Amino acid sequence: MLSALGNPRQAAAQLMNFGLILSTAFMMWKGLSVISDSPSPIVVVLSGSMEPAFQRGDLLLLWNRNLFTETSVGEVVVYNVRDKDIPIVHRVISKFGTGFVIPRQWWLFMGIYNNDSDDTKLYAPGQNYLVREDIIGRSVVGYMPFVGYVTIMLSEHPWMKTVMLGIMGLVVVLQRE
Amino acid sequence: MATQEKITVYNLADLKNTTDDAIPNYLTSLSFTPSHLLTDVRLALGFSAFALSAACFAWDYNFGFESTKTYTAFAVALYTILNGLLTFWIFYVEKGTIYQGTSPKGDKIRISTETKKNVPVYHMTIEVKDGKTGERKTLKISRSFTEWFDAAGRFVAAPLQTVLAQGVGVIGRVDTKRANAAKVEGGEAGPSAVYTPEMLAMLSGEGVSVVGSAAETATGTEAAEAKKGGKRRKN
């Protein structure tokens, strides 16, 4: 119940519990970031451009360290275009010097899905190729189908976020266990 | 007690929380001095962990991941340690302690409580340290919640206070009225259930004050007190 209102320490403890839920989630995310060396170690596939390998709503777990090998042509990587924070999951088709040119899907069904052109048209103005720093995940370690649809829903309908946060907050405040 | 909030008698957490809140109130009304050390350490650990993660969020948000990742790595490690300490503190140091304090006669007392899943029995572990001799004692009292909640879910302070005053010498010495009253009233009832369900219902009923000790006034749940605005009673 709301008995905490009368006791500052209990109120502080309840506030702390709520804060710790948020901060623990955040720190786990950051821990994953640090381990995988990726600013965004888990991404959701937002488009169908990598079908049939990855579908919309798939959750990808990324690894961004080059421990023994260089990133090479043929690998599926996740990159961010300069000044845009939308991760794109595509396959490397050519590599020259230290840069990459990344096309859309280049999978078993070559020529059927979206590989009619390379990605240069998605890049920022003046950006003709990507460098290693643009890549946030050089390999996909694991994936979970459909789970990411939750975040797609949340980002397409922002009010859901507010509702969800509100419910979470209420539950924590009202329940003491 | 009449305006007191009712709880759901099937909710074990509610039963326990209400009782946990009532015991410190009772002891405070007997002029016990509480010690908040355990809670304060827990709050300090928790809030410093939270502050650390807030700082980490701030520098990550402002300066990006790449340029701050060394700090982030340290912050994650430190956060893990702080959270580990907090967990350790809660499970191995606090161990369900709901009250720690000193009686007006100088004895130290620490009460920790627990319930087993789906069993409506309140287990109290009371550690006492005598103020004069320094002798330590640990008492265990397990009582059914039905002894101080009536069928409707209203908390009745008197039986719980009687259990404590009767079972714990340190409390009984301060609240002699409750400790002695218990002997008279509970003469035939035996060691358990000093108050019958009928008596509970009567005690929690409108405008009835059977015992009327100062302690009873001060012991309702905080919610009830907050609603009434302090210790004012509606009579």
Side-chain angles (χ1 to χ4, degrees):
Chain A
M1 291 292 117
L2 290 168
S3 55
L5 295 177
N7 182 338
R9 278 193 175 77
Q10 215 171 62
Q14 249 159 297
L15 189 71
M16 182 186 91
N17 287 346
F18 182 56
L20 284 180
I21 291 174
L22 297 180
S23 68
T24 302
F26 176 72
M27 288 316 250
M28 279 165 79
W29 169 257
K30 280 293 145 199
L32 214 54
S33 277
V34 167
I35 292 169
S36 64
D37 197 25
S38 164
S40 174
I42 295 174
V43 294
V44 172
V45 178
L46 295 174
S47 78
S49 69
M50 280 296 276
E51 281 180 17
F54 301 122
Q55 272 153 25
R56 209 167 123 82
D58 286 0
L59 209 66
L60 306 181
L61 182 62
L62 306 180
W63 182 254
N64 196 29
R65 286 181 190 278
N66 286 84
L67 286 181
F68 303 110
T69 50
E70 277 295 296
T71 304
S72 54
V73 171
E75 269 185 65
V76 174
V77 302
V78 180
Y79 66 88
N80 272 334
V81 171
R82 199 196 299 152
D83 302 328
K84 265 189 239 166
D85 253 352
I86 304 161
I88 298 170
V89 191
H90 279 167
R91 187 174 287 263
V92 179
I93 46 158
S94 62
K95 185 178 173 187
F96 45 93
T98 57
F100 299 92
V101 174
I102 296 170
R104 295 178 172 217
Q105 168 72 332
W106 190 88
W107 192 244
L108 295 170
F109 305 91
M110 183 169 59
I112 299 175
Y113 286 96
N114 288 333
N115 62 347
D116 46 345
S117 67
D118 67 28
D119 272 3
T120 42
K121 62 179 183 295
L122 297 176
Y123 298 168
Q127 193 177 22
N128 295 319
Y129 55 88
L130 300 178
V131 291
R132 182 66 185 83
E133 285 69 46
D134 294 321
I135 291 176
I136 62 168
R138 65 159 286 239
S139 55
V140 176
V141 189
Y143 87 105
M144 226 186 268
F146 306 120
V147 181
Y149 252 109
V150 180
T151 53
I152 292 181
M153 293 292 277
L154 286 177
S155 57
E156 282 176 5
H157 308 280
W159 58 270
M160 281 189 183
K161 273 186 209 169
T162 324
V163 171
M164 212 174 75
L165 262 175
I167 291 174
M168 272 166 59
L170 265 181
V171 166
V172 172
V173 170
L174 291 181
Q175 225 171 6
R176 237 171 53 165
E177 248 188 333
Chain B
M1 304 264 110
T3 51
Q4 192 174 300
E5 222 174 84
K6 274 192 277 184
I7 57 135
T8 317
V9 287
Y10 310 104
N11 187 338
L12 190 56
D14 260 6
L15 290 169
K16 181 175 186 293
N17 288 339
T18 308
T19 314
D20 284 352
D21 288 343
I23 291 178
N25 283 347
Y26 168 53
L27 296 179
T28 306
S29 77
L30 296 176
S31 307
F32 276 62
T33 319
S35 153
H36 295 295
L37 182 72
L38 289 172
T39 319
D40 288 346
V41 171
R42 172 158 53 95
L43 289 175
L45 284 171
F47 277 107
S48 49
F50 182 75
L52 179 70
S53 98
C56 182
F57 179 82
W59 73 58
D60 191 72
Y61 186 82
N62 288 322
F63 307 113
F65 176 75
E66 277 307 314
S67 52
T68 58
K69 64 185 174 193
T70 322
Y71 300 106
T72 305
F74 279 115
V76 168
L78 192 59
Y79 186 88
T80 313
I81 293 170
L82 281 174
N83 235 351
L85 282 177
L86 179 66
T87 312
F88 176 82
W89 191 262
I90 290 171
F91 283 99
Y92 295 100
V93 182
E94 283 195 337
K95 285 188 286 193
T97 299
I98 56 149
Y99 186 84
Q100 195 178 29
T102 315
S103 86
K105 301 205 191 306
D107 307 311
K108 291 213 183 326
I109 186 169
R110 171 174 169 168
I111 305 176
S112 40
T113 63
E114 62 171 337
T115 51
K116 301 274 186 311
K117 203 177 175 189
N118 297 335
V119 184
V121 174
Y122 193 54
H123 301 280
M124 292 174 263
T125 306
I126 299 142
E127 287 166 56
V128 181
K129 188 186 168 200
D130 195 286
K132 293 193 189 83
T133 59
E135 188 192 344
R136 285 168 188 279
K137 247 194 323 192
T138 305
L139 300 162
K140 280 186 189 289
I141 303 178
S142 299
R143 291 302 184 99
S144 166
F145 282 110
T146 53
E147 289 185 36
W148 53 83
F149 282 97
D150 70 4
R154 279 174 299 224
F155 173 76
V156 186
L160 175 66
Q161 295 173 357
T162 308
V163 166
L164 286 168
Q166 224 182 353
V168 187
V170 171
I171 300 173
R173 251 177 282 159
V174 182
D175 193 4
T176 47
K177 186 173 181 177
R178 198 63 92 192
N180 296 331
K183 275 170 201 150
V184 180
E185 287 177 35
E188 289 164 25
S192 66
V194 181
Y195 288 71
T196 63
E198 291 75 24
M199 287 164 75
L200 280 182
M202 202 172 74
L203 277 171
S204 65
E206 181 81 19
V208 181
S209 176
V210 176
V211 186
S213 86
E216 190 195 357
T217 336
T219 311
T221 59
E222 287 146 311
E225 279 189 51
K227 260 190 197 165
K228 288 192 290 184
K231 293 179 178 174
R232 192 169 55 82
R233 267 180 77 117
K234 196 180 82 182
N235 263 329

